[in-house]
Amino acid sequence: MAADAGIRYLSSYSDRLPELKAFDDTKAGVKGLVDAGITKIPRIFVRPDELAGKELNSDNIAGLSIPVINLGEITGERRAEVVEEVRRAAKSWGFFQVANHGIPTSVLEEMLERARENHHQPAEVKAEYYSRDRMRRVRFASNFDLYSSRFANWRDTFICVMDPDPLDPREVPVVCRDVIMEYSKRVRRLGNTVVELLSEALGLKPHHLEDMDCTEGQMILSHYYPACPEPELTMGTSEHSDPTFLTILLQNQNGGLQVFHENQWVNVSPIPRALLINIGDLLQLVSNDNFQSAEHRVLANRVGPRISIACFFSPHFYTSTRVYSPIKDLLSQDNPPLYRKTSMKDFVAYYESKGLDKKRSIAHFKL
Ligand code: OGA
Ligand code: NI
């Protein structure tokens, strides 16, 4: 497993699989490597040649930043304005921040703190949860695409599948149990508000997207990005767009998130108390490109840990067979469907088999 200083940037080597397996078998994730005191990253994490020359730092000379939408007042006359702001943000960026979203700061802070404590539990406690069994509703794993991506990311993830069937809280580690249940309930309420606004932004009835079961499932991913001794050689999260309808993201103060917009990477600087919302691939598909699912990534950092909580809204990832295609009301002679139909189950199977750092999954469903 030791990193070989002479072999950097190699995208394939004959003993890669045993090295991935050895890492996986530790059940301790990337944090386990850092705790062991490594000073060079193992080569399974090294970005391959063809990516290595690419500039990581944001070249955002235009000073762009993602839109911020105030959700404090969304009734009366202001509603039409908010719907218009949401429409513009979802169309041109696919990513926006929301202020006055209704989730108390104390809940956000506690969520981040308890997520940290969860990742800091003793290795033997975490190992009990370590699993690649997608049917396990509460589990810990490093790199869901460890065996399908070109290089591993500097990130561990703790996953809780909250809905559509209620999760027995006793399945959640006690250090973060209460706050996950609380956060989940509140973020669901916010998710419902946002999909109503998005439905209206498409010119549909407020409940249109919800009635399509777009948000019936909820998965909470608590990501932990340890400090990295060689951040320029790897990534926290490779560039991707989300296999969801909608994602709501909470991040701590250690930045690194970037969104691809107008041909450049734009830093998403942490704003205390704000939450990020992004459009997922399935919403791009059903909206027939009226909304876009923005590509984003997270840089590795010498400073850490970066902690983020992603809440994925979609029908059940692995079981939902409900079929989705571009919404009929949005189609006309001049606006023909751009995508073929798919189910969540099939979309996610394709997405996961491909790994993050390759061509976008949605392209595969284009007509
Ligand atoms: C994700 C994601 C970003 C982050 O979970 O899909 O992009 O900041 N997370 O961890
Ligand atoms: Ni993402």
Side-chain angles (χ1 to χ4, degrees):
M1 278 286 291
D4 182 337
I7 313 176
R8 312 304 271 174
Y9 297 139
L10 276 188
S11 56
S12 61
Y13 32 88
S14 57
D15 47 0
R16 179 172 162 77
L17 186 60
E19 289 180 22
L20 292 173
K21 184 116 185 37
F23 167 69
D24 212 15
D25 286 346
T26 66
K27 302 185 184 224
V30 176
K31 183 168 184 297
L33 299 173
V34 173
D35 290 347
I38 55 141
T39 54
K40 290 210 164 288
I41 67 170
R43 62 182 177 176
I44 55 169
F45 293 93
V46 175
R47 293 193 298 150
D49 283 339
E50 62 270 29
L51 301 176
K54 279 201 197 165
E55 184 54 62
L56 284 178
N57 288 324
S58 159
D59 46 3
N60 171 20
I61 34 175
L64 290 170
S65 58
I66 66 167
V68 180
I69 299 178
N70 182 356
L71 295 184
E73 228 182 277
I74 49 168
T75 50
E77 279 172 26
R78 170 85 182 126
R79 188 166 182 95
E81 278 170 38
V82 176
V83 167
E84 179 55 18
E85 286 173 31
V86 165
R87 192 192 62 74
R88 256 185 279 135
K91 186 172 178 65
S92 70
W93 283 84
F95 231 101
F96 49 99
Q97 308 232 22
V98 286
N100 297 315
H101 44 65
I103 305 188
T105 306
S106 58
V107 174
L108 303 183
E109 284 171 352
E110 187 167 2
M111 185 64 249
L112 289 168
E113 173 55 23
R114 296 292 179 163
R116 191 185 62 79
E117 285 175 21
N118 190 27
H119 282 276
H120 282 224
Q121 291 205 83
E124 60 277 14
V125 175
K126 285 163 66 184
E128 297 278 312
Y129 289 95
Y130 197 90
S131 172
R132 293 193 183 278
D133 175 358
R134 290 133 94 243
M135 288 306 144
R136 256 182 85 166
R137 294 183 58 172
V138 175
R139 64 195 166 91
F140 168 64
S142 186
N143 287 264
F144 76 88
D145 56 349
L146 186 67
Y147 296 101
S148 53
S149 62
R150 284 178 293 180
F151 68 105
N153 288 170
W154 203 254
R155 176 186 86 251
D156 297 331
T157 304
F158 181 80
I159 297 173
C160 280
V161 177
M162 308 302 298
D163 294 321
D165 310 312
L167 177 68
D168 181 345
R170 287 171 304 184
E171 289 194 44
V172 182
V174 70
V175 289
C176 54
R177 183 179 296 161
D178 291 350
V179 73
I180 283 197
M181 301 312 288
E182 172 77 11
Y183 184 72
S184 162
K185 203 172 62 193
R186 290 183 179 270
V187 85
R188 162 157 296 289
R189 215 174 296 153
L190 174 61
N192 289 347
T193 302
V194 173
V195 291
E196 277 181 22
L197 294 169
L198 287 164
S199 297
E200 290 176 52
L202 287 171
L204 306 168
K205 293 209 173 63
H207 287 281
H208 196 108
L209 291 169
E210 199 183 328
D211 290 345
M212 288 167 65
D213 299 338
C214 297
T215 53
E216 70 163 7
Q218 186 200 42
M219 191 149 92
I220 293 186
L221 296 92
S222 145
H223 299 300
Y224 184 94
Y225 301 86
C228 181
E230 297 181 295
E232 59 293 338
L233 294 184
T234 186
M235 284 300 269
T237 301
S238 294
E239 61 191 80
H240 69 284
S241 51
D242 292 352
T244 60
F245 275 87
L246 191 75
T247 303
I248 300 186
L249 186 78
L250 165 66
Q251 56 175 343
N252 76 350
Q253 74 292 346
N254 290 327
L257 179 65
Q258 298 182 328
V259 177
F260 199 63
H261 179 71
E262 289 178 2
N263 247 356
Q264 58 190 315
W265 288 102
V266 175
N267 289 325
V268 181
S269 306
I271 299 183
R273 298 184 293 281
L275 287 164
L276 293 159
I277 309 243
N278 64 285
I279 305 298
D281 289 346
L282 275 299
L283 188 47
Q284 175 169 345
L285 187 149
V286 300
S287 78
N288 209 37
D289 281 356
N290 274 294
F291 294 157
Q292 64 159 309
S293 164
E295 284 191 279
H296 52 285
R297 66 184 185 184
V298 180
L299 304 185
N301 198 330
R302 247 172 241 288
V303 180
R306 167 187 166 76
I307 292 168
S308 67
I309 313 292
C311 179
F312 282 7
F313 287 102
S314 69
H316 193 290
F317 252 45
Y318 304 121
T319 59
S320 175
T321 52
R322 180 168 177 157
V323 169
Y324 291 97
S325 54
I327 295 171
K328 294 241 162 21
D329 313 54
L330 305 177
L331 305 177
S332 64
Q333 205 131 43
D334 297 336
N335 293 294
L338 301 172
Y339 297 96
R340 60 190 168 87
K341 61 185 185 206
T342 179
S343 67
M344 199 64 214
K345 186 171 171 232
D346 290 348
F347 189 89
V348 170
Y350 179 75
Y351 187 97
E352 294 199 344
S353 69
K354 184 188 67 68
L356 280 191
D357 57 341
K358 313 231 176 72
K359 202 170 161 223
R360 293 186 60 197
S361 296
I362 194 166
H364 180 72
F365 295 89
K366 204 135 201 173
L367 281 171

